Amino acid sequence: MSTPTSSPARGPRLALAAGCAALTLALASACSTGDDSSVEPPGSDGAERALIFEGGGREVSATLTLPLRARGPLPGALIISGSGPTDRDGNSPLRPEAETSWNLARVLAEAGVASLRYDKLGSGESAAELDSEAPVDPQVFDDEVAAAYEELVSQPEIDPERTVVVGHSEGALYALRAHDIVDAEPARMLVAPPGTRYLDLIDRQITEQARQAEATGQLPEGQAVELLSAARYGRAEVRAGRELDDDTDSFGVYTPQNQDFLAWIDSFDPVDLAADLPADTPVLVLWGEQDAQVAGEEVDRLMTGLPDATRVDLPGADHILREFRDEPGATVLDSDRPFSADVAPAVTEFLDTAW
């Protein structure tokens, strides 16, 4: 969830499971940043090529990563980052060194798979394109996925018959729907995927964070109940199709700017999306056992719609697939925490049989 703010400059989309706490709390182990990475990145270097293509009525900036020394037509992966202003590398203003999508591109390159990742509207090079007061038509995000996939398979190095769509967090909802968005039936990799409807996941996240803040004295006694009551009122109003106002809740989630997007994405139940996948679609589900944003029970629920999928739980990994470290009194930077070593073998084994 994104940190709330009363500033009118906040963007029209919230950041589900991609940033820090829903309250004005700083979770140092997750949200602090440093200047330079002190750990080795996963996978291998690739040959990167900058791309610009039309998608959703605008120019979309992207990066194509090709495995070094690879020959012949290559399998291709489309990487879709998480929610809010999360850019092509998996970074956001609240978490500028997460590097989730960049790390996944390196893992894919080592496995011999080319990948394309892009800045969705409101992130990276497109951050300045959003009007902070104007709602965004949710269709633009589907259009960007479709355009990015077409750009991937149009590259001369890519074999369009061997593709996979990789979605992290909220991006997994787009990956699940890829066959409806693009004219293809790619394999899927769902990374830290939501397993419940969007607004129910938000409710669980902000409830936990509000209660934690109250327990540690960061919220006055009783204020958590008031805040959560307002947020649940906002959820009910969105689901009933009633107009929100700027004072609906104090989390900065249920706002008029977010309403269209919230109603749209909440209409998708991940279990239903999973059950609607084309028959025999290869699916890999990756989830970190220390993920504070997506609970194991929610992934369990998702798997009821994916009886034939491969699920790999990553010991010690958090929501961005880095090794979780909780050091009281210390600031643990994302850049100081290695990417889970269990990701690469899981991805390689899955891709060896995906096509």
Side-chain angles (χ1 to χ4, degrees):
M1 296 293 300
S2 59
T3 302
T5 172
S6 58
S7 167
R10 75 181 300 278
R13 297 188 64 219
L14 70 160
L16 162 65
C20 306
L23 304 170
T24 52
L25 308 179
L27 305 183
S29 65
C31 302
S32 301
T33 62
D35 294 328
D36 298 300
S37 177
S38 59
V39 297
E40 288 296 319
S44 63
D45 292 331
E48 293 196 336
R49 185 158 75 221
L51 301 173
I52 297 178
F53 54 90
E54 181 76 14
R58 69 179 187 90
E59 287 190 341
V60 180
S61 298
T63 300
L64 180 73
T65 301
L66 298 168
L68 297 176
R69 295 178 295 278
R71 295 183 179 180
L74 300 169
L78 172 62
I79 301 175
I80 307 172
S81 293
S83 64
T86 305
D87 67 16
R88 75 185 86 175
D89 290 334
N91 300 326
S92 70
L94 287 175
R95 206 157 186 176
E97 294 177 343
E99 304 285 0
T100 314
S101 297
W102 180 73
N103 285 328
L104 288 169
R106 292 182 58 89
V107 168
L108 290 163
E110 185 174 54
V113 178
S115 65
L116 184 149
R117 58 192 195 275
Y118 65 96
D119 289 334
K120 63 181 184 294
L121 179 62
S123 74
E125 295 183 13
S126 75
E129 296 179 25
L130 278 179
D131 180 346
S132 62
E133 297 299 314
V136 174
D137 182 354
Q139 182 62 41
V140 70
F141 302 108
D142 275 6
D143 292 345
E144 289 177 348
V145 170
Y149 185 86
E150 290 306 312
E151 185 70 13
L152 170 69
V153 298
S154 73
Q155 302 303 307
E157 298 91 348
I158 304 302
D159 178 0
E161 300 301 317
R162 293 184 295 160
T163 62
V164 57
V165 176
V166 183
H168 176 243
S169 192
E170 180 189 299
L173 296 178
Y174 295 89
L176 280 167
R177 298 168 48 246
H179 56 287
D180 290 329
I181 300 173
V182 305
D183 186 20
E185 295 183 359
R188 318 297 163 94
M189 282 176 49
L190 312 177
V191 181
T196 60
R197 287 175 62 186
Y198 200 87
L199 298 188
D200 293 335
L201 178 54
I202 289 174
D203 181 72
R204 195 264 302 161
Q205 289 179 343
I206 64 178
T207 298
E208 291 176 355
Q209 292 160 10
R211 294 302 186 190
Q212 179 185 14
E214 186 177 50
T216 57
Q218 295 172 281
L219 272 180
E221 185 175 354
Q223 189 174 348
V225 172
E226 180 181 342
L227 291 171
L228 292 173
S229 177
R232 285 166 185 163
Y233 172 78
R235 178 180 63 171
E237 292 295 277
V238 169
R239 285 184 168 169
R242 291 188 285 266
E243 293 297 320
L244 297 174
D245 58 49
D246 288 323
D247 299 320
T248 297
D249 82 285
S250 300
F251 290 96
V253 173
Y254 295 102
T255 68
Q257 293 78 26
N258 289 336
Q259 181 162 5
D260 289 346
F261 174 78
L262 290 174
W264 176 76
I265 201 163
D266 184 59
S267 69
F268 300 112
D269 186 322
V271 174
D272 292 341
L273 296 180
D276 287 342
L277 284 173
D280 302 322
T281 299
V283 180
L284 172 65
V285 177
L286 295 176
W287 175 72
E289 293 181 354
Q290 295 296 325
D291 191 334
Q293 280 73 44
V294 174
E297 293 81 3
E298 291 162 350
V299 181
D300 293 342
R301 182 178 185 274
L302 173 64
M303 297 305 295
T304 64
L306 295 169
D308 299 321
T310 299
R311 172 177 173 175
V312 177
D313 292 352
L314 308 169
D318 68 0
H319 188 65
I320 61 170
L321 305 191
R322 289 183 182 266
E323 293 180 8
F324 177 78
R325 285 165 53 192
D326 185 9
E327 299 179 6
T331 297
V332 186
L333 311 178
D334 280 346
S335 58
D336 288 340
R337 299 185 300 112
F339 197 70
S340 171
D342 297 310
V343 173
V347 169
T348 299
E349 182 177 352
F350 169 70
L351 294 175
D352 281 346
T353 59
W355 300 292

